[in-house]
Amino acid sequence: MLVHWHHSYSTYQRGSTQVGATACKMAVVNRIYLFSRISITPKILLDPINRVCGGRRFDSTSVSSDGEVSNSSLSTTPIIRRTLACPPEYKRVQQAWVENLNTVEEQKLGLIDLHPDVFGAQPRIDIIHENVEWQTKYRKVRYDHTKTRAEVRGGGRKPWPQKGTGKARHGSIRSPLWRGGGIAHGPRSPQTYFYMLPFYTRVHGLISCLSIKLAQDDLHVVNSLEIPTDDPKYIEDLVENRNWGPSVLLVDEIDIMPRNITAATDSILHINLMPVYGLNVFSMLKHDTLVLTMAAVNRIEEKLLYQLNRPDFMDVTKKFMLNQNG
Amino acid sequence: MSFSGKKGVDKAFAMLRTLPRVCLANVRRNPGTRIKPTRGRAQHGGDKHGAGNKGSGQRQNYMRLGYETGNNPFYLRFTYEPYYKGHHLRREYPPLSLLQLQKMIDTDRLDISQPLDLSVICNTGLYKIDPHHKHFGIQLTDEGANIFKAKVNIEVQWASEPVIAAIERNGGVITTAYFDVHSLWAIINPEGFFKKGEAIPRRMVPPQDAIEYYTNPVNRGYLADPEKISWERLVLAQKYGYQLPVLENDPDYAMLTQRKDPRQIFLGLEPGWVVNLRDRCILKPTDEQLKEFYRS
């Protein structure tokens, strides 16, 4: 029985009872062939022992982390061929199952390769934190406001002579020391918290986040967002059945989603739809599970690999440098 | 899940699999990297905030640079010696080493099946010049000359003898060529120049003090006599003790012998032409006067 490493459930969080259930389910679905709905390369290889990808050969047995590989399931595992751009030379290619959404029960339609520079990069919690902090701050404007001693009404006259009264010397009844006086160093409105995070910190934030989601089994790839009904109950059952956690973020390549999934998720506040251009660190972390369509995976990989490998990257970062002279 | 023997990314992923889900509640910055706001609020909130007590440090009215509170300042103590006289007029050639060039070739930043020039090297994004700073192009330096293995047809703006030897030993060709400032702006960013929709200018002849360098066959100058250059190639081979590969027998002979016209900036494009990137076409002057102007 092949228990693929990012589909063997972590017992820490989701409970050990799931492990057996998932394994049984996979025995069934491993014999199901790939639908032609997959848009990228609909060629199925039924002999996955040695595959060629981007000019390199991988041994598919090496992807199992625990070495629990049995030959019987390997021989029928459908592999979806995906040519990776900028083929990685020294890193191990990440993999994910392609699932369906048109049944409540999970069906594995195939296994795809994911680029390790995007889905298998070093998980940088600090960069993710910087991104989250930036996303919460850059659009924040504070409107709390206090009056200084100059703005509080009155207080122009010296309350009593400097000397001879026996009282402390004061020049104004609106001094910050006085009750009803102005506030020293108080908040002044409007105060903006806008700043820009360096461009590549944002790029690496997305990459770290995607890598973490994949490593923690929280990233799922589906062939499309087509579901048979617009009933919210269907999508709730599906999420419940697949143990995707309460909140799910479904990401498609473009912002025009299929009608049924739009109607079904419309009333559920914790199941949300998002196009690739809106994908961001905060939303990925806010939702328990991230579901990407194949088209979205292609688009995300393409965009992030372009940013990682573009020759004019210095021109992109230049805009965000404080010293604009050099 | 054991991650004792793992390293780097694999170890991080193995740890992540046993840790709770990374979410908004548990991401944090690296310990010790928080920069505190400068103004505290409690007991010491009204203190000096690191500016010290009294004086120019607190008021930030620092003395002018070099002023020594009444002493004869150091910078005025000695007589004037014009080490840097005319520095603001001198041409600079920012260095690019053969090692860097070899690395660009090995990492597929440069295609050596085509002639290399300033625009190709600037387009890698790894070498930059700024004509505002009197940068006049590439100075190819000899660092890594002994491991340089590529056969290239390269045009640079300044090269020393060992560099020329390193290029020619591998069967390559090197030319030193001058670009005036106006041409430099075009050649360092061809796309930006073409987008302006201007006609490609003529390359001007070098200034008086550079004429000698660029007409000298020893420097492989672009204005030197080709006969004399091939003679100097032989002389250099004998001086450095290598067998000069015969260009005529080279399969890439056509590429290696491609040279720009002294008036030309881009290989394959003539002065006076307008490159229209949007319609993907080239507009050539038809007016006789214009043609004459750009030909001269």
Side-chain angles (χ1 to χ4, degrees):
Chain A
M1 172 74 57
L2 168 69
V3 179
H4 192 259
W5 67 272
H6 51 253
H7 263 274
S8 60
Y9 279 72
S10 128
T11 52
Y12 184 92
Q13 232 181 344
R14 331 272 154 88
S16 57
T17 52
Q18 286 296 330
V19 175
T22 317
C24 292
K25 218 183 299 168
M26 285 170 56
V28 179
V29 297
N30 274 341
R31 284 190 288 279
I32 293 171
Y33 293 140
L34 169 69
F35 288 176
S36 61
R37 182 71 184 81
I38 310 298
S39 58
I40 174 167
T41 323
K43 185 176 181 185
I44 310 164
L45 294 184
L46 291 179
D47 177 16
I49 304 300
N50 282 309
R51 293 172 299 120
V52 180
C53 183
R56 289 177 62 226
R57 295 182 81 81
F58 305 105
D59 189 353
S60 62
T61 53
S62 66
V63 299
S64 163
S65 63
D66 298 326
E68 295 175 293
V69 177
S70 106
N71 290 330
S72 59
S73 64
L74 268 181
S75 59
T76 51
T77 310
I79 303 293
I80 300 169
R81 275 195 60 175
R82 221 170 144 252
T83 309
L84 299 183
C86 317
E89 288 188 33
Y90 305 109
K91 289 181 184 170
R92 200 182 59 193
V93 172
Q94 300 290 317
Q95 287 180 313
W97 290 107
V98 179
E99 304 166 26
N100 68 329
L101 281 187
N102 56 8
T103 55
V104 169
E105 285 77 30
E106 179 181 315
Q107 293 177 1
K108 289 191 169 45
L109 306 178
L111 191 63
I112 55 166
D113 286 341
L114 298 171
H115 203 290
D117 285 351
V118 176
F119 291 95
Q122 179 73 27
R124 289 279 301 270
I125 302 290
D126 55 329
I127 288 184
I128 288 177
H129 176 266
E130 277 181 53
N131 273 271
V132 170
E133 196 179 22
W134 170 67
Q135 279 191 263
T136 46
K137 272 187 178 174
Y138 82 100
R139 56 183 175 172
K140 176 178 165 188
V141 180
R142 269 177 66 172
Y143 291 106
D144 42 351
H145 187 79
T146 54
K147 285 181 177 178
T148 66
R149 57 187 292 169
E151 290 161 348
V152 183
R153 189 182 178 87
R157 188 183 61 167
K158 191 168 176 68
W160 49 77
Q162 180 81 351
K163 299 175 78 69
T165 57
K167 293 201 267 187
R169 48 200 176 190
H170 281 291
S172 164
I173 61 163
R174 299 306 185 200
S175 143
L177 304 183
W178 281 59
R179 179 180 167 278
I183 304 291
H185 301 305
R188 305 288 288 170
S189 154
Q191 189 188 1
T192 167
Y193 282 72
F194 177 84
Y195 68 101
M196 281 310 278
L197 203 60
F199 183 77
Y200 278 93
T201 314
R202 284 179 272 157
V203 169
H204 287 293
L206 289 171
I207 288 173
S208 282
C209 224
L210 289 167
S211 303
I212 286 174
K213 283 285 176 194
L214 182 63
Q216 294 198 322
D217 298 341
D218 292 330
L219 190 147
H220 297 269
V221 181
V222 294
N223 57 350
S224 82
L225 295 184
E226 295 285 354
I227 54 171
T229 165
D230 61 1
D231 184 11
K233 187 77 174 61
Y234 174 86
I235 201 82
E236 276 179 345
D237 288 347
L238 186 143
V239 168
E240 175 72 25
N241 182 277
R242 302 190 186 186
N243 204 22
W244 279 359
S247 55
V248 180
L249 182 65
L250 299 144
V251 178
D252 202 355
E253 188 191 9
I254 50 171
D255 51 8
I256 301 168
M257 310 280 178
R259 192 203 157 272
N260 279 353
I261 190 108
T262 313
T265 57
D266 194 35
S267 59
I268 313 172
L269 297 181
H270 53 270
I271 298 180
N272 292 306
L273 302 174
M274 187 177 269
V276 163
Y277 67 71
L279 191 66
N280 64 86
V281 170
F282 189 94
S283 301
M284 278 195 269
L285 292 186
K286 189 171 173 63
H287 295 82
D288 294 332
T289 301
L290 178 67
V291 178
L292 306 176
T293 60
M294 283 282 287
V297 169
N298 292 334
R299 190 86 184 106
I300 290 168
E301 258 196 25
E302 179 199 331
K303 290 182 89 165
L304 290 177
L305 284 175
Y306 167 70
Q307 298 299 354
L308 289 177
N309 294 301
R310 61 190 295 178
D312 58 342
F313 70 97
M314 283 299 283
D315 298 337
V316 186
T317 51
K318 181 86 169 77
K319 204 163 75 176
F320 305 105
M321 286 178 185
L322 282 180
N323 182 1
Q324 291 289 322
N325 300 321
Chain B
M1 178 73 65
S2 154
F3 41 83
S4 56
K6 291 179 171 145
K7 281 182 189 170
V9 182
D10 289 341
K11 184 174 179 184
F13 285 162
M15 290 172 78
L16 276 174
R17 292 188 60 73
T18 64
L19 289 167
R21 176 182 285 133
V22 174
C23 67
L24 291 174
N26 56 22
V27 291
R28 55 155 201 182
R29 56 167 56 88
N30 282 342
T33 53
R34 182 176 141 78
I35 300 166
K36 285 184 180 175
T38 47
R39 208 180 80 84
R41 288 279 168 185
Q43 185 188 1
H44 301 290
D47 292 354
K48 316 281 187 204
H49 305 300
N53 193 24
K54 294 209 287 188
S56 63
Q58 190 180 28
R59 301 189 193 100
Q60 300 191 356
N61 52 359
Y62 301 107
M63 288 178 295
R64 68 166 197 272
L65 209 60
Y67 184 61
E68 297 180 17
T69 62
N71 294 343
N72 189 17
F74 184 83
Y75 76 97
L76 293 175
R77 225 175 271 174
F78 313 101
T79 49
Y80 173 66
E81 294 193 12
Y83 299 117
Y84 299 115
K85 189 177 182 186
H87 69 90
H88 60 296
L89 299 172
R90 288 193 199 170
R91 288 186 300 278
E92 283 183 30
Y93 296 93
L96 175 79
S97 70
L98 284 170
L99 187 69
Q100 281 173 291
L101 186 66
Q102 181 71 58
K103 198 196 270 181
M104 286 180 190
I105 293 165
D106 292 346
T107 53
D108 284 345
R109 305 274 191 152
L110 290 175
D111 175 17
I112 55 170
S113 68
Q114 298 295 323
L116 307 179
D117 67 354
L118 185 55
S119 64
V120 176
I121 291 171
C122 281
N123 277 341
T124 60
L126 302 176
Y127 179 84
K128 282 224 158 111
I129 66 164
D130 185 0
H132 279 317
H133 288 80
K134 294 278 168 198
H135 295 171
F136 274 77
I138 302 167
Q139 176 190 4
L140 204 55
T141 60
D142 60 357
E143 187 186 348
N146 49 348
I147 61 161
F148 188 75
K149 288 286 176 288
K151 184 180 72 179
V152 290
N153 177 5
I154 189 169
E155 183 193 74
V156 293
Q157 280 61 53
W158 202 270
S160 61
E161 194 184 72
V163 170
I164 296 171
I167 301 270
E168 290 179 353
R169 187 188 62 204
N170 296 319
V173 175
I174 183 168
T175 313
T176 53
Y178 175 83
F179 288 88
D180 59 297
V181 180
H182 199 52
S183 312
L184 272 178
W185 280 115
I187 197 170
I188 60 173
N189 184 7
E191 193 189 359
F193 175 76
F194 295 147
K195 274 182 183 165
K196 286 201 287 188
E198 289 177 8
I200 300 170
R202 294 174 303 168
R203 181 156 37 136
M204 294 290 119
V205 290
Q208 200 64 50
D209 56 344
I211 283 276
E212 195 192 333
Y213 184 87
Y214 290 109
T215 50
N216 194 344
V218 174
N219 302 324
R220 309 296 185 263
Y222 74 124
L223 299 175
D225 182 2
E227 290 290 322
K228 287 183 182 162
I229 285 181
S230 57
W231 172 254
E232 290 296 337
R233 281 167 59 89
L234 210 61
V235 169
L236 197 63
Q238 289 179 2
K239 180 173 176 183
Y240 278 76
Y242 57 83
Q243 184 70 37
L244 188 68
V246 184
L247 272 188
E248 287 76 8
N249 299 344
D250 199 292
D252 299 327
Y253 178 73
M255 185 277 287
L256 289 174
T257 48
Q258 275 192 63
R259 297 274 294 272
K260 286 180 193 167
D261 186 80
R263 285 292 190 201
Q264 203 179 9
I265 295 173
F266 303 106
L267 211 57
L269 297 173
E270 288 177 19
W273 292 5
V274 179
V275 177
N276 186 337
L277 289 179
R278 184 182 294 173
D279 301 339
R280 306 186 69 76
C281 64
I282 293 174
L283 310 171
K284 298 174 185 174
T286 51
D287 184 51
E288 279 307 318
Q289 262 185 317
L290 264 184
K291 280 188 190 170
E292 189 56 38
F293 171 78
Y294 282 114
R295 213 178 293 133
S296 60

